[in-house]
Amino acid sequence: AQKITQTQPGMFVQEKEAVTLDCTYDTSDQSYGLFWYKQPSSGEMIFLIYQGSYDEQNATEGRYSLNFQKARKSANLVISASQLGDSAMYFCAMREYNYGQNFVFGPGTRLSVLP
Amino acid sequence: GAGVSQSPSNKVTEKGKDVELRCDPISGHTALYWYRQSLGQGLEFLIYFQGNSAPDKSGLPSDRFSAERTGGSVSTLTIQRTQQEDSAVYLCASSLGSSGDLYEQYFGPGTRLTVT
């Protein structure tokens, strides 16, 4: 079974608008971390934001925020005020702290920001 | 400061040959990961090293793949008798380890392997 699901293979957003990239996960571990990474066309993986399973508040990092709904097992990434440079692949990832020792990545969402 | 470095950046090899891919993690990072990314796909976990503990090899696709980490720093991923399906970008990442967002991984630029 997929541990990380990203149902949107591709998304378009108009420059300066907000966009939400979906991520749902599957785990029976009570302690885990959720991560979002950006991969531009140049290929490097760039860490964006982290949410711990015990964090009560949604994580925010500049224009990025994570809409964490623990009961629904979702960790959607919200990008506010999209910029052309936000066009990239976005990967959601999870690490289970008790049951697993490695990261599991979702299949990714390709975001295209339109001028 | 210095990030994760990988070498070579590109490697073209003939089917059946062995290849070695190198990763230099960020100094002080105790955790090191290898991933494989095929064209247009997500990341596939291969192997994980944490300090002096035995590595987690659960992601290695076959016994042709092996990796070692010397002195808790540099790591080498070896692929023996390469096959065309091994063609991919091999990414290395390191993290400070421990807990919480210290698990944040810093990725290297990757090695693009092409098996002809």
Side-chain angles (χ1 to χ4, degrees):
Chain A
Q2 290 288 334
K3 288 222 169 186
I4 299 285
T5 302
Q6 294 180 255
T7 58
Q8 308 149 314
M11 289 278 288
F12 291 90
V13 64
Q14 208 67 39
E15 193 179 6
K16 300 181 184 177
E17 292 187 350
V19 62
T20 298
L21 306 183
D22 295 343
C23 173
T24 57
Y25 58 94
D26 181 27
T27 181
S28 54
D29 199 336
Q30 295 301 308
S31 181
Y32 53 89
L34 298 158
F35 302 76
W36 277 91
Y37 286 85
K38 172 185 178 181
Q39 188 176 42
S41 56
S42 53
E44 75 269 31
M45 293 285 285
I46 303 167
F47 166 77
L48 295 178
I49 196 166
Y50 165 84
Q51 179 86 42
S53 59
Y54 292 116
D55 294 340
E56 294 185 352
Q57 294 195 339
N58 287 341
T60 60
E61 287 286 347
R63 293 187 299 112
Y64 304 107
S65 61
L66 201 151
N67 183 2
F68 181 47
Q69 298 186 42
K70 192 170 182 177
R72 297 179 61 184
K73 293 187 176 177
S74 76
N76 298 339
L77 176 71
V78 180
I79 305 175
S80 63
S82 298
Q83 302 173 356
L84 296 178
D86 294 335
S87 294
M89 282 290 288
Y90 289 81
F91 293 98
C92 179
M94 176 178 66
R95 177 168 178 141
E96 297 164 309
Y97 296 155
N98 292 322
Y99 297 163
Q101 292 297 319
N102 60 71
F103 278 78
V104 176
F105 281 76
T109 294
R110 181 171 297 280
L111 177 67
S112 299
V113 180
L114 306 175
Chain B
V4 177
S5 61
Q6 291 185 246
S7 60
S9 55
N10 279 285
K11 176 72 176 179
V12 180
T13 189
E14 292 180 352
K15 178 182 172 180
K17 300 283 189 182
D18 297 352
V19 294
E20 286 189 351
L21 312 180
R22 177 187 169 105
C23 172
D24 281 275
I26 293 173
S27 177
H29 280 194
T30 60
L32 187 149
Y33 304 77
W34 283 99
Y35 295 91
R36 178 169 69 176
Q37 187 175 30
S38 300
L39 186 63
Q41 303 296 312
L43 274 69
E44 175 190 4
F45 165 78
L46 297 177
I47 189 169
Y48 159 71
F49 296 89
Q50 173 61 60
N52 295 321
S53 302
D56 175 357
K57 305 178 182 180
S58 60
L60 294 178
S62 76
D63 59 8
R64 296 187 296 105
F65 287 72
S66 63
E68 63 177 19
R69 188 178 184 191
T70 54
S73 181
V74 172
S75 177
T76 302
L77 176 70
T78 301
I79 309 173
Q80 296 177 311
R81 305 181 302 282
T82 51
Q83 304 294 313
Q84 288 185 331
E85 60 263 28
D86 299 334
S87 296
V89 175
Y90 289 82
L91 289 164
C92 174
S94 70
S95 71
L96 203 50
S98 189
S99 64
D101 59 4
L102 292 178
Y103 281 128
E104 174 190 341
Q105 295 177 84
Y106 294 83
F107 282 81
T111 293
R112 182 176 298 279
L113 175 66
T114 304
V115 182
T116 61

